[in-house]
Amino acid sequence: MTLVALLSVAPVIEDSMASEVAAAVEALDEFDVAYETNPMGTVIEADDAGTLFAAAEAAHDAVDADRVSTVLKIDDKRAREESAAAKVESVERELGRDAKKER
């Protein structure tokens, strides 16, 4: 089973969040997960829910702030294995092009 999730962990502050977000992303390295960070969060792939939740909790705990906002959205496709990359490739096949556009 492969779970794909979008994790967003951020301190609630006015200044740059980069160092705290980096700490959250770095915390994921302690777990058997694949991840890719983008401007809106980090996509995580894990083999089981326990690993996914533990990794998300570690990322949340890694942020050193008085207030932390964490959102975890999980896609648990149980009928078959499908990676995050495969999901994007399916959309790109439908589009007939890459699923991104530069400004």
Side-chain angles (χ1 to χ4, degrees), residues 8-79:
S8 174
V9 179
V12 180
I13 58 175
E14 293 296 320
D15 295 329
S16 173
M17 298 182 285
S19 64
E20 294 303 325
V21 171
V25 171
E26 192 170 53
L28 298 174
D29 288 337
E30 300 301 315
F31 298 88
D32 185 22
V33 298
Y35 65 85
E36 181 177 351
T37 300
N38 63 57
M40 298 301 291
T42 299
V43 175
I44 303 173
E45 293 180 70
D47 290 333
D48 60 85
T51 301
L52 180 64
F53 286 122
E57 180 180 27
H60 175 84
D61 290 345
V63 175
D64 182 23
D66 291 336
R67 187 173 179 189
V68 180
S69 174
T70 298
V71 176
L72 180 64
K73 180 180 180 181
I74 300 169
D75 182 0
D76 183 5
K77 193 169 194 174
R78 297 176 177 176

Side-chain angles (χ1 to χ4, degrees), residues 81-101:
E81 296 281 325
E82 189 171 35
S83 68
K87 292 173 183 293
V88 174
E89 290 165 4
S90 293
V91 171
E92 290 178 335
R93 270 194 307 278
E94 291 294 321
L95 286 169
R97 62 176 175 82
D98 287 346
K100 65 180 178 180
K101 179 181 174 186

